[in-house]
Structure formats: structure tokens, C-alpha cells
Amino acid sequence: QEPDVPTLKATFSMGCFWGVESVFGALPGVIRVKVGYTGGIKENPTYESLDDHTESVEIEFDPERITYASLLETFWANHNPSDLKPVQYMSAIFYHDYIQMKSAEDSKLNQRRVLGEDTLTKIKRAKVFYDAEDYHQKYFLRQHANFVQSLGLTDQDFLSSWRATKLLGYITGNGDEQNLKQEKDALGLTDDHMSYLAAARKSGKEGRCSAAK
Ligand code: MHO
């Protein structure tokens, strides 16, 4: 069942969004994640015509279970913010309110202390978030076609369900084994599904974009 709790949004850019969606999806308290394009001016960008937009994730989280500060820690820990990248893959935090802006700025200062060098991370106000094409949503989960089919996941689920968000996180080897076991029934998983997931988590073959990104 989809959790029915009030959520807040967080928007981050930190390189190829396939892997970023997987990392955040597995975190307890993260309810949903989707991938898309934001930060630019061009209207209705697509993957083929991104223009001045950046690959990003939009996270819906339950602030009773995970803090924005802890999402920021995951942000810094999962990319190199000092690497010069094309706009498509740049490092950026898109804040949704004043408090998020302050936390983002504090965490960026702290990151500079930790790294001993400046980061290239942009901190900007969140604007329109354009959902990426269906085939980009939960990309690494979609590669397991039979698994996905046996769970009856639709494009709508891939875009906006808790279930697909968690399954993406787990199947890519992120998240905690214990949490996966606890969520087995809520995710509608059989014992066969659990074995399949365990094997996929161990193989660790998926969950990465190509080295260039
Ligand atoms: N084509 C690259 C990056 C895809 S990404 C969503 C790859 O295969 O990893 O920008």
C-alpha cells in the first residue's frame, strides 16, 4: 500500500539521474522519487533537447522520519561536487523554502571545510520540474523486465509510486536488508521475488551509469 503521510519536497542534481534516484529511493522516510529536468529556462525540455536544464531528482520525504539535513548528507556523499561537468550533469541543490536554503548553504560551507577546496555546487530556488520520459523513471528497475511484469508495475507506478521507488533502491543494492524484509508484504513481494532481489543486490552489476557520467 502507498503510505498516506504528509510529505515535503527536495530537489537535487548530482550527475546521471539513474543512479541518484536509486540511492535516495532506498532511504527510510523517502516516500517517492522521480527523475526530471530543471534549472533552465527552456520550456518542456526533453532528454534529446535539454538545452540549459540539468538532470535532477525530485524527492518526496516524510519529515517525521528523515530530515532535510540528512538528505543533504546523502547528496554530498554520493557525487564529487568539485568536478567540472556540463550543465546536464552539474551539481546543484534546488531549495523549496527559506529553511532549505539556509541548510543547503550551511552544508556547502561545511563541505568546503571537509574537502579543503571549494565545491562547484549551485544553490538555487526550485522552479518548474519537468518529469523525464517514462523510460528514464526507475531506469535500473525497468531492466529487470520479468520481475517488473510479475509485479504488475505500470508506467504510472514507475513515475509516482512508493512501491517502485523502494524496489528501485533495493534492487540496485542500496538500502538495508532488514528494512527490505520488513516491507516485504507492503511491497507485495513473494518469496521468489525476495530471492530474486537478494541475488540482484549481491551481483551489483546494475545501479551505475557509464564511467563517462
Ligand atoms: N548514456 C549515459 C548516461 C545516461 S544519463 C540518463 C549512460 O549510458 O550511462 O544521462
Side-chain angles (χ1 to χ4, degrees):
Q1 325 71 308
E2 293 286 307
D4 184 17
V5 292
T7 56
L8 296 177
K9 279 181 188 174
T11 308
F12 300 124
S13 303
M14 40 201 284
C16 174
F17 54 21
W18 293 339
V20 178
E21 190 181 32
S22 314
V23 168
F24 283 104
L27 296 179
V30 165
I31 308 298
R32 276 174 288 271
V33 188
K34 62 182 176 178
V35 297
Y37 316 118
T38 197
I41 301 236
K42 184 195 160 84
E43 286 184 27
N44 305 315
T46 65
Y47 187 68
E48 301 305 329
S49 65
L50 259 191
D51 213 292
D52 53 352
H53 288 279
T54 300
E55 291 192 19
S56 311
V57 293
E58 189 178 271
I59 301 163
E60 282 180 63
F61 65 101
D62 173 358
E64 306 265 307
R65 292 183 63 205
I66 192 166
T67 61
Y68 187 66
S70 133
L71 294 174
L72 284 169
E73 279 173 32
T74 300
F75 170 82
W76 295 113
N78 285 278
H79 74 302
N80 181 347
S82 309
D83 246 11
L84 182 60
K85 293 276 179 65
V87 177
Q88 180 178 2
Y89 297 117
M90 77 174 180
S91 171
I93 300 169
F94 295 94
Y95 58 82
H96 289 263
D97 57 31
Y98 180 80
I99 299 174
Q100 284 193 358
M101 182 188 82
K102 282 298 183 194
S103 318
E105 282 172 352
D106 285 353
S107 77
K108 181 174 157 151
L109 284 175
N110 184 58
Q111 199 60 24
R112 186 166 73 182
R113 271 193 297 273
V114 171
L115 295 175
E117 63 176 342
D118 227 337
T119 67
L120 296 169
T121 306
K122 298 261 199 310
I123 300 181
K124 301 207 264 185
R125 189 161 58 81
K127 294 193 293 183
V128 191
F129 182 92
Y130 295 97
D131 296 345
E133 294 80 354
D134 283 341
Y135 78 95
H136 284 301
Q137 306 293 338
K138 316 293 170 299
Y139 183 85
F140 291 130
L141 175 59
R142 283 175 184 270
Q143 308 315 305
H144 300 269
N146 293 332
F147 180 78
V148 156
Q149 205 191 0
S150 75
L151 287 163
L153 293 169
T154 63
D155 279 340
Q156 190 56 45
D157 296 328
F158 283 116
L159 177 68
S160 60
S161 73
W162 169 79
R163 197 170 175 227
T165 297
K166 293 295 143 188
L167 288 171
L168 170 72
Y170 291 134
I171 208 162
T172 49
N174 292 293
D176 189 275
E177 180 87 49
Q178 274 321 106
N179 291 329
L180 166 58
K181 284 187 180 145
Q182 275 165 22
E183 291 173 347
K184 178 186 181 218
D185 293 338
L187 289 168
L189 300 171
T190 62
D191 290 341
D192 282 352
H193 289 134
M194 291 300 275
S195 321
Y196 185 86
L197 276 175
R201 282 167 68 72
K202 229 175 270 157
S203 96
K205 260 184 271 167
E206 319 256 1
R208 252 168 267 275
C209 299
S210 70
K213 309 307 186 298

